[in-house]
Amino acid sequence: MARIPDGFIDDLLARTDIVEVVGSRVPLKRQGKEYSARCPFHDERSPSFWVSPTKQFYHCFGCGAHGTAISFLMNYDRLEFLDAVDELAKRIGVEVPRDTRSRNQDSDTQDLYTAVEAAQRFFLRQYAGSGKAQGYLDARGVSIDIRERFGIGYAPDGFNGLRDALGTDERRMKLLERAGLFSKNESGRVYDKFRDRVMFPIHDRRGRVIAFGGRVLDKEDGPKYLNSPETPLFHKGRELYGLWQVRQAHNKIPRLIVVEGYMDVIALFQHGVDTAVATLGTATTPDHAELLFRNAADVYFCFDGDRAGRGAAWKAVESVLPRMKDGRQAFFLFLPDGEDPDSLVRQEGADGFDHRLREAMPLSQFLFDSLAADVNLNTLEGKGRLAERAKPLLAQIPDGAFGDLMKQRLTELTGVGARAAAPEPAQRAHGGGRAAPTPKRSLVRSAIAIVLQKPSLAAALAPPYRFAQLRQPGIELLTAIVDLVQQRPEISTGALLEHFAEHEQAAALQKLASQTLPGSDDTLQREFLDAIGQLDKQTVEQRLAELQTQQRESGLNEDEKRELLSLLQARLARPTAKA
């Protein structure tokens, strides 16, 4: 992947008006210095989504969505990081810098896209002249509009059709081979991989053709479906057939329906169910689950009701559970014997299929039903077995209401965990039975909160920072933030948050940055410098304690004695607080 300099990202975010980016997609209303709207990432009746032009970031107090203009495009337009950066760069008329190696890689990748696109045009031309392929789609009831929307083509019979049409030179041949369009036999002869098949192009999230799936026209001609192999452009565990078409049909996707085959997707679209996607000959992967939930909060998995279908459903559960943040839902629709989404929607229409979806089994029910299938819950041993099976799975669910409810359900079924709800003895003992008071924000947290609001305050500190030696939670993060501001004094809140987007404390930083701290800029500056001053004092006390302990236990060398004397003198010279 091309490496983009951090300084360019900072400058890009500083020159981008996040209000303009968000406002072109979501109706914003000015509220003082900020803008509000109903959140585009979850359903709500009153606005809890705020955009700050001064901080250059957005935050939803309802669902917790937050980020910069880059992350907004990634989440709303469902772009990859580099694509979102490219989009913003185009808006302000600058070119994204990449090093020479990256440019060469980009050029090579672009040549692959061009080769695959040329193959797609070839398949479309062949389809236009093939009564056989057109007759197959006519018999399946696929309209001209749907054929064009999905770009369905045809690979002619014979071993050399594509090769003779496109493999005009050695370089083009190698590109087509790398793109997975050729096969090679034991003697080294290269020939067309797809022959006499209806061709379904697979698009990436930007609508570019990256691979193909081919369906035989005569059942005796080998595997029913044949997919492109893994290539530099195509990784089947990361792509979903039909997602591009779903995104073109919906600004905000209401739900996604995961089916098994190309024709299932086509048939559902044909009958007005235009939110269907298909995995590409593989079980649902963690990348699939992330992609699904990035595009829709509600995901329905449609599988056969047989043993294989339920096995596939369980694979989906394992991939989905670690991504079940609050607000997300997963359901399982098991189809009657001998039916598939294609046949069902033809018989029952969109309304009938929608009715089946409304009665689909929630993930929670499927998980506990599956785990308890061979367990006798009337015995303690059976309850213990269910708890043993469920606990590792429930531990994968992100913290939140859904995870708590799933643990509560396990307790209802088994009794395990019931004692966890009892009040903590320490809480009862405090203050004669009253709840403990909310702890005051620590100095470190206060300093971080202020510098997130006004990053330029950290530029006033002179390195080296004495507090960096303090052994307290958060000191390392505070030091990293101050260092970053020292390197880039003009950095905005949004750009600072973007820099720490992968940090383990990223969510906490977002919450702190979303707060509105009382007081003027001068007040915040005084509070920040006071917090830093107190942290410096704590560092001196920490070092004094270390030297005094060492003096008692093993003695000090001359340099350490001088350091101890200097610190003691500094402590004596420090003004004492008035009583």
Side-chain angles (χ1 to χ4, degrees), residues 541-558:
E541 294 300 322
Q542 174 184 281
R543 182 59 178 158
L544 269 172
E546 290 173 351
L547 290 171
Q548 289 170 337
T549 299
Q550 183 179 337
Q551 185 179 42
R552 289 192 302 269
E553 294 179 351
S554 59
L556 301 175
N557 61 32
E558 291 303 316

Side-chain angles (χ1 to χ4, degrees), residues 491-509:
I491 194 169
S492 67
T493 299
L496 196 153
L497 292 172
E498 190 71 45
H499 181 86
F500 289 97
E502 302 301 321
H503 194 277
E504 62 181 358
Q505 294 296 323
L509 292 178

